[in-house]
Every structure is written in C-alpha cells, then in structure tokens.
Amino acid sequence: MKSIQLKTIFTFMFLIKLIFSAPEIMEAQASLELQEFSTGFANPLGIEHAGDDRIFVIEKRGTLISVDTDGNHSGFFLDIRNRVRSSGGEQGLLGLAFHPDFTQNGFFFVNYTNNSGATVVSRFSVDPDNPESGDEDSEVILMEFSQPFANHNGGQLKFGPDGYLYIFTGDGGSGGDPINAGQDPLTFLGKILRIDVDNGDPYAIPADNPFFGSDFELDEIWAWGLRNPWRNSFDRLTGDLWIADVGQNRREEINFQPADSPGGENYGWRCYEGNIPFNLDGDCDPEEFVFPVYEYVTGGPNGCSITGGYVYRGESIPDLYGTYIFGDFCSGLIFTLDWDSTSMEYSANQLFNIFGGQLASFGEDVNGELYVTHYSQGRISKIVNLCNDIELDYEWTLPDCRDSNNGMLSLELNNAENPVQVSWADGDESGLSRESACGLIKFTISDNRGCELDFVLDLECSEGLFPEILESGDSLFSSANGVLYLWYLAEELIKESKESFLVPAQTGTYRLEVRDENDCVYTSEAYDFIISNIPEVSTDLELLLYPNPVRNVLYVEAPMSIKKADFRIFSSNGKLVANFTVKNSGKIIPLSFESTPAGWYLIEIIVDKKESSVFRIYKEN
C-alpha cells in the first residue's frame, strides 16, 4: 500500500493496461472545530509569536507566558505585576510585540497601564543568562501619557511591514468621548501612533508620518478618529491593516487601511459611530472621514463589543485562506467577513459560538494558524481542521494485457471502517470500460468523522494505443515501438524480428503483432499490400487525354464509341492507386481527379481487351 496526504487527485492513464501518473492537488471539504489548546491562564488578553514555534499569552495582571506547540507552559516569560495596574476592567498589561529582529537583538515591547493609571509603552530585552525569559530590569520606557478615565485604553502594539511600531490607543474613556480626544490631533488618545524604535532616544519619528513637522498635529499620529480599537492586525501577505473599533451603544465597526496608504485617515469618532452620526458638534465634515467597511448593531444578536482578528494565511484550512476572521466579546460569536462581488459589500457569516462569551482576543502563530483566548475561563483554543490529518491508502489491480478492459482500484481512508472498491470491466454497469470511459470520473469518500475526500479517476483512451502498419516505398513499418515484431501474411507467420520493418516479397494481406517488455502482445489491423510493375509509356491507341496537367476532371476522347475500357492508374512510385472498367461510354470518358493528390501519374487504358496504351499526366493542386 502507498500513502498520500489530503487533497489528492488520483490520475490513471488507460494505455491498454493502467499506468499510474503523478497525483495533482485538489481541495477537500474542511471540518472546522474550536479545539482546546492550553489552559491555566489568568484573564488572557492576547496572543503573539516571536518568529518561532512558541506563542506568548498576555495576562491582564501583568505577566507573559510562553507556550510550546503542545500547549505546555510553566513559569513566566515576564512578570511586571509590581508596576501594572489591572484593577480596572480595561486596565492591565494590554499589548505585546516582538521586534522583527528579535532572534538577533532580543527586544520585545509591551503596553500597560501603570500604577497611576497612565499608559506606558516600554521596551524589554531577554535575559542574557536565560534566553527563555525576559529581563524585568531591562525596561526602557518609550512613551508615557495619562488616561483621564480607567477605560478605553486600547493597548495593542504591532510592527508593520515597514518595520515601524504601531500603537493603538483608545479615546481616554468614560462614555461618548467627553474630551473629544478622537478628533483632537494634539493628544495621543483615540489614535494609531507610528514610531521608529531602531533610531532616536528613546525613539524616532518616521519622516513620512502624515503630520511630521506640523505645528497643529502630533508627529507620532498615523491615523485618528478611533474610540477603542481592540485587536488589530496586518495581513501578513498583503500588508493591509484591519482595525476593529468598539462602539458606544449602537454600532461595532471594522475599518480597513490598505498597505499603500500614506496615513492620515480619520475614522470619524466621535462625530460618527460607524456609519451613523453620534455627536456632530465641532468640525464633522463627513467628506473628511473614512467610514468602516463593515458594521453591526451593538447589543443585537451578534454581540456588544467587537474583537478584531486576522486574515487567515495558514495552510491547514484552505477554505478560509485570505478571509478576515473576527468575533465579539459579549456573544462569543466568531465570524468570517466575506466579500460579495454582486452587492459590492462585505457580509459576516457565523463560524463558531463560544458559549458564555468573553472572547477577548485572537492570536496568530508563526505559521498563520489562529487561536482564541477565553478571558474568564483562562483557556486558549485553536481553530483546527479536523480533516487535515486525513490520509488515503490505495492500491490498484492492473488488468491483464490481453484483457485490457478489466481492473480494480481499492481506496481506504485512515479513519474509515471499510475500503472503497472501484472496478471497471466490459459490460460493467459502471460504464468504466475502455471504449466508453474516456474522461474524468469523480469519486467522493468519507471517513467516520464525516471528513470527505474527492479524487478523480481519469481513464483516457489515448490515440495510437494499437500498432498500425505504415507503408513507405517497398517497405512496411510499425507505428508502435516494442521489443519484438511478428509479421503475418494471410495469417501465416512469415517473420519474427527485433526490427520494426518488413520488405514484402509478394502482394497480399499483412498483419503485425508487437510484443512489449512485459510480454504483452498488441495486434494491428489487416493491411493489403500490392506489388505492381509500372508499364512503359506507349501510344498505340488513337486517344486524346486533356487537359494535361489536370486539375479536377481528365477527359479521354476516342475517334469512335468505346464499348469497354479497362483503366489502371499508377502513382510515380509504382503504386496501383485505381483499377476500374468503363462500358458503353461513347467517344468521351470523364475521369475525376478532384480528390487525387498532386503529382505524376501513369494511366494504362485497354480498349475492348485488344489494344492498350500508357499515358503520363500531371495532377495540379
């Protein structure tokens, strides 16, 4: 038995006997499940990876935990509980980002609310004596700014494709943005900030930031007009930025920033909540805003607090590839965001339901597979394809070379009780005989879990399956290659040779058998071969042939009526191409040359079985 992984087409070529051809890839049905991956966490708020097989869980209380590929963890990667205020519902250790060159420099960055309630963005380094742990004494504070209220701190950190650090901040809290921070370009609140952590002290500002050098906007601002962006991500393939912004009490929204954006987008809060007006006091020109690509009603069946996710770029769930996946903290629902090319808008489709809600965050590992944090339950789940481990064993029974229409294919899934037998034969009701089964025949088999696997059997009736006898000059040739050639005349074996040609010694009906390396014999159709003697040109008869050269019709004219004329027409190489008799034709006999190939021909004419003449003519195209 041989084994091939999921998503396989089995292709067979019916060349007298079945020959196995290299398989091609085909999608198979996915069966998705939210599978528990790891437990034992204290209010997990986020998941990040550092470019290796580990994932790192952010705990609200001020700790980071490293988790291996089996979900195992022990101890803290970082513990800064002594400097983190986590008593408020939205305070704590909120963000983590590993430097793109983490394996070289050991830098990672965190966002937390300190004991005074202010937001702190800091850089830490791994412990030089223990690279599996962060050095709690290595903190370098990059920025610190006060929060007027305990909620709406945002807190996520992400390195963009450009290598800069993006910092997502809330509007400062309370309700309705009482200080109008979202529309105030002189505060860090309600913004996306963009800084260069590889230069400056403690950081530099990229010169292409949209407000760089302005006296009226902060240089660090990349985009603004946000309420409380919660869990945002860059598409690892395209670089596009997806921003999930928690609404006030009417709309939850998803904003989109393309990878080629120069920045400066204003997403409208507090003037607008989603696509509807909220507080139009002040400068609220809708022409200045970028509105969400998708929104849903707050407090409705979908939930009350959006949790942003990722565009799926993993390998285990091909059906989801390129799809943005997000959820809602309150309802626990997980959705895909799908583009409808007809309506030209996005729609959300439910994927999972985490009963009890509290879906705090999504996470992405180094391979692009997705995870979910269950906040109050202290668990991490992984979105898995149950059918990803499906394997198909197969074996085939090749038909005997002298009975080429029969064969059997046996298929067996690793989680199926019984194998699937596929057979074909002459007269079989499946219609899989050689004469009738040219083309693709599709099969679907499923295992005990309901996982389905599609494959295609291709029984191709190829041209040239049987040898043909070809004639050239004075020889006959085989069109098919073999190891032995058996030539027959009138069903009598006349020659057995390793050469593929025969010089016939006489006129007659010939047949050829070709034997291959497997001792299978393939037989040609019968072929009539005529050896002719070319007559010499003579003009004993008083006949006129015109026109010469001839194109379509050649006329043979005699001085008197012809009762009977026998005609033999030879090609230039002596092949007899026509032999016929014309009776009581009168003085003129028309001969059709319309379908005759161009070239020289000899025409022998015998009149009334007495006299004969041979004429040379030329046929034009």
Side-chain angles (χ1 to χ4, degrees), residues 27 37 121 128 211 216 218 260 276 331 379 382 394 412 464 520 552 620:
E27 299 295 346
F37 179 73
V121 178
F211 304 121
F216 305 101
L218 295 178
D260 59 358
I276 59 177
S331 68
R379 297 189 296 115
K382 183 178 182 180
Y394 62 92
E412 184 174 358
C520 291
N552 293 323
E620 293 183 327

mmCIF file of all heavy atoms in Angstrom, residues 27 37 121 128 211 216 218 260 276 331 379 382 394 412 464 520 552 620:
data_model
loop_
_atom_site.group_PDB
_atom_site.id
_atom_site.type_symbol
_atom_site.label_atom_id
_atom_site.label_comp_id
_atom_site.label_asym_id
_atom_site.label_seq_id
_atom_site.Cartn_x
_atom_site.Cartn_y
_atom_site.Cartn_z
ATOM 1 N N GLU A 27 -8.693 20.413 -3.680
ATOM 2 C CA GLU A 27 -9.223 20.797 -2.377
ATOM 3 C C GLU A 27 -10.211 19.747 -1.870
ATOM 4 O O GLU A 27 -10.928 19.122 -2.638
ATOM 5 C CB GLU A 27 -9.939 22.157 -2.477
ATOM 6 C CG GLU A 27 -9.028 23.289 -2.907
ATOM 7 C CD GLU A 27 -7.947 23.591 -1.901
ATOM 8 O OE1 GLU A 27 -8.062 23.110 -0.761
ATOM 9 O OE2 GLU A 27 -6.995 24.292 -2.240
ATOM 10 N N PHE A 37 -6.535 24.230 23.351
ATOM 11 C CA PHE A 37 -5.105 24.111 23.114
ATOM 12 C C PHE A 37 -4.288 24.162 24.406
ATOM 13 O O PHE A 37 -3.342 23.407 24.591
ATOM 14 C CB PHE A 37 -4.649 25.218 22.168
ATOM 15 C CG PHE A 37 -3.181 25.212 21.871
ATOM 16 C CD1 PHE A 37 -2.626 24.244 21.049
ATOM 17 C CD2 PHE A 37 -2.340 26.175 22.426
ATOM 18 C CE1 PHE A 37 -1.269 24.231 20.776
ATOM 19 C CE2 PHE A 37 -0.987 26.164 22.163
ATOM 20 C CZ PHE A 37 -0.438 25.191 21.332
ATOM 21 N N VAL A 121 4.397 52.622 27.219
ATOM 22 C CA VAL A 121 4.915 51.764 26.157
ATOM 23 C C VAL A 121 6.408 51.604 26.407
ATOM 24 O O VAL A 121 7.147 52.596 26.441
ATOM 25 C CB VAL A 121 4.664 52.359 24.756
ATOM 26 C CG1 VAL A 121 5.273 51.462 23.676
ATOM 27 C CG2 VAL A 121 3.167 52.537 24.512
ATOM 28 N N PRO A 128 20.007 37.877 29.382
ATOM 29 C CA PRO A 128 21.216 37.362 28.726
ATOM 30 C C PRO A 128 21.664 36.022 29.289
ATOM 31 O O PRO A 128 22.346 35.255 28.606
ATOM 32 C CB PRO A 128 22.260 38.455 28.979
ATOM 33 C CG PRO A 128 21.744 39.223 30.150
ATOM 34 C CD PRO A 128 20.240 39.167 30.062
ATOM 35 N N PHE A 211 1.771 63.764 9.597
ATOM 36 C CA PHE A 211 1.794 65.074 10.226
ATOM 37 C C PHE A 211 3.199 65.457 10.690
ATOM 38 O O PHE A 211 3.358 66.347 11.538
ATOM 39 C CB PHE A 211 0.817 65.107 11.414
ATOM 40 C CG PHE A 211 -0.588 64.726 11.041
ATOM 41 C CD1 PHE A 211 -1.215 63.654 11.652
ATOM 42 C CD2 PHE A 211 -1.279 65.419 10.058
ATOM 43 C CE1 PHE A 211 -2.512 63.295 11.307
ATOM 44 C CE2 PHE A 211 -2.572 65.075 9.711
ATOM 45 C CZ PHE A 211 -3.186 64.005 10.330
ATOM 46 N N PHE A 216 0.372 71.733 14.281
ATOM 47 C CA PHE A 216 -1.025 71.615 14.698
ATOM 48 C C PHE A 216 -1.451 70.166 14.951
ATOM 49 O O PHE A 216 -2.567 69.916 15.372
ATOM 50 C CB PHE A 216 -1.939 72.237 13.630
ATOM 51 C CG PHE A 216 -1.574 73.648 13.306
ATOM 52 C CD1 PHE A 216 -0.853 73.948 12.161
ATOM 53 C CD2 PHE A 216 -1.925 74.685 14.162
ATOM 54 C CE1 PHE A 216 -0.518 75.257 11.855
ATOM 55 C CE2 PHE A 216 -1.581 75.994 13.870
ATOM 56 C CZ PHE A 216 -0.873 76.287 12.710
ATOM 57 N N LEU A 218 0.254 66.132 16.276
ATOM 58 C CA LEU A 218 1.406 65.446 16.832
ATOM 59 C C LEU A 218 2.087 64.613 15.740
ATOM 60 O O LEU A 218 1.427 63.917 14.954
ATOM 61 C CB LEU A 218 0.976 64.537 17.990
ATOM 62 C CG LEU A 218 0.398 65.259 19.213
ATOM 63 C CD1 LEU A 218 -0.032 64.240 20.267
ATOM 64 C CD2 LEU A 218 1.422 66.227 19.803
ATOM 65 N N ASP A 260 -0.809 50.436 0.920
ATOM 66 C CA ASP A 260 -0.148 51.575 0.284
ATOM 67 C C ASP A 260 -0.643 52.913 0.811
ATOM 68 O O ASP A 260 -0.348 53.967 0.237
ATOM 69 C CB ASP A 260 -0.329 51.516 -1.236
ATOM 70 C CG ASP A 260 -1.796 51.524 -1.661
ATOM 71 O OD1 ASP A 260 -2.681 51.536 -0.779
ATOM 72 O OD2 ASP A 260 -2.056 51.501 -2.885
ATOM 73 N N ILE A 276 -23.257 56.024 11.296
ATOM 74 C CA ILE A 276 -24.354 56.903 11.719
ATOM 75 C C ILE A 276 -23.811 58.035 12.581
ATOM 76 O O ILE A 276 -22.834 57.875 13.305
ATOM 77 C CB ILE A 276 -25.431 56.109 12.484
ATOM 78 C CG1 ILE A 276 -24.833 55.438 13.722
ATOM 79 C CG2 ILE A 276 -26.075 55.062 11.578
ATOM 80 C CD1 ILE A 276 -25.856 54.698 14.563
ATOM 81 N N SER A 331 -20.986 38.135 22.917
ATOM 82 C CA SER A 331 -21.741 36.984 22.422
ATOM 83 C C SER A 331 -20.889 35.733 22.294
ATOM 84 O O SER A 331 -21.414 34.614 22.326
ATOM 85 C CB SER A 331 -22.360 37.310 21.062
ATOM 86 O OG SER A 331 -21.344 37.440 20.068
ATOM 87 N N ARG A 379 -8.560 30.008 29.211
ATOM 88 C CA ARG A 379 -8.211 28.972 28.238
ATOM 89 C C ARG A 379 -7.786 29.596 26.909
ATOM 90 O O ARG A 379 -8.154 30.723 26.587
ATOM 91 C CB ARG A 379 -9.398 28.043 27.970
ATOM 92 C CG ARG A 379 -9.875 27.247 29.146
ATOM 93 C CD ARG A 379 -10.916 26.204 28.724
ATOM 94 N NE ARG A 379 -12.119 26.822 28.200
ATOM 95 C CZ ARG A 379 -12.538 26.701 26.932
ATOM 96 N NH1 ARG A 379 -11.823 26.020 26.063
ATOM 97 N NH2 ARG A 379 -13.661 27.274 26.545
ATOM 98 N N LYS A 382 -7.677 26.683 19.661
ATOM 99 C CA LYS A 382 -7.098 26.802 18.326
ATOM 100 C C LYS A 382 -8.152 26.409 17.293
ATOM 101 O O LYS A 382 -8.892 25.433 17.486
ATOM 102 C CB LYS A 382 -5.872 25.891 18.193
ATOM 103 C CG LYS A 382 -5.149 25.997 16.860
ATOM 104 C CD LYS A 382 -3.913 25.091 16.841
ATOM 105 C CE LYS A 382 -3.152 25.213 15.530
ATOM 106 N NZ LYS A 382 -1.950 24.341 15.493
ATOM 107 N N TYR A 394 -4.042 3.485 -1.046
ATOM 108 C CA TYR A 394 -4.619 2.990 -2.294
ATOM 109 C C TYR A 394 -3.758 1.880 -2.856
ATOM 110 O O TYR A 394 -2.554 1.814 -2.642
ATOM 111 C CB TYR A 394 -4.746 4.118 -3.319
ATOM 112 C CG TYR A 394 -3.421 4.724 -3.713
ATOM 113 C CD1 TYR A 394 -2.715 4.233 -4.807
ATOM 114 C CD2 TYR A 394 -2.870 5.762 -2.987
ATOM 115 C CE1 TYR A 394 -1.487 4.761 -5.164
ATOM 116 C CE2 TYR A 394 -1.647 6.309 -3.328
ATOM 117 C CZ TYR A 394 -0.965 5.804 -4.417
ATOM 118 O OH TYR A 394 0.243 6.328 -4.762
ATOM 119 N N GLU A 412 -8.804 3.421 0.692
ATOM 120 C CA GLU A 412 -9.095 3.270 2.107
ATOM 121 C C GLU A 412 -8.598 4.487 2.877
ATOM 122 O O GLU A 412 -7.427 4.837 2.807
ATOM 123 C CB GLU A 412 -8.439 2.011 2.663
ATOM 124 C CG GLU A 412 -8.785 1.747 4.122
ATOM 125 C CD GLU A 412 -8.237 0.420 4.606
ATOM 126 O OE1 GLU A 412 -7.626 -0.310 3.790
ATOM 127 O OE2 GLU A 412 -8.418 0.116 5.786
ATOM 128 N N GLY A 464 -3.360 6.078 -30.790
ATOM 129 C CA GLY A 464 -2.171 5.275 -31.014
ATOM 130 C C GLY A 464 -1.961 4.199 -29.981
ATOM 131 O O GLY A 464 -0.840 3.801 -29.724
ATOM 132 N N CYS A 520 3.428 -8.481 -23.291
ATOM 133 C CA CYS A 520 2.073 -8.238 -23.762
ATOM 134 C C CYS A 520 2.115 -8.024 -25.266
ATOM 135 O O CYS A 520 3.020 -7.360 -25.789
ATOM 136 C CB CYS A 520 1.469 -7.016 -23.085
ATOM 137 S SG CYS A 520 1.142 -7.257 -21.335
ATOM 138 N N ASN A 552 -9.266 18.967 -61.990
ATOM 139 C CA ASN A 552 -10.396 18.271 -61.384
ATOM 140 C C ASN A 552 -10.880 17.079 -62.203
ATOM 141 O O ASN A 552 -11.152 16.013 -61.665
ATOM 142 C CB ASN A 552 -11.568 19.236 -61.160
ATOM 143 C CG ASN A 552 -11.243 20.288 -60.108
ATOM 144 O OD1 ASN A 552 -10.580 19.995 -59.127
ATOM 145 N ND2 ASN A 552 -11.690 21.510 -60.336
ATOM 146 N N GLU A 620 -2.359 18.773 -60.949
ATOM 147 C CA GLU A 620 -2.039 20.006 -60.227
ATOM 148 C C GLU A 620 -2.848 20.102 -58.927
ATOM 149 O O GLU A 620 -3.872 19.444 -58.766
ATOM 150 C CB GLU A 620 -2.379 21.220 -61.103
ATOM 151 C CG GLU A 620 -1.522 21.363 -62.328
ATOM 152 C CD GLU A 620 -1.876 22.613 -63.096
ATOM 153 O OE1 GLU A 620 -3.067 22.999 -63.098
ATOM 154 O OE2 GLU A 620 -0.968 23.203 -63.694
#
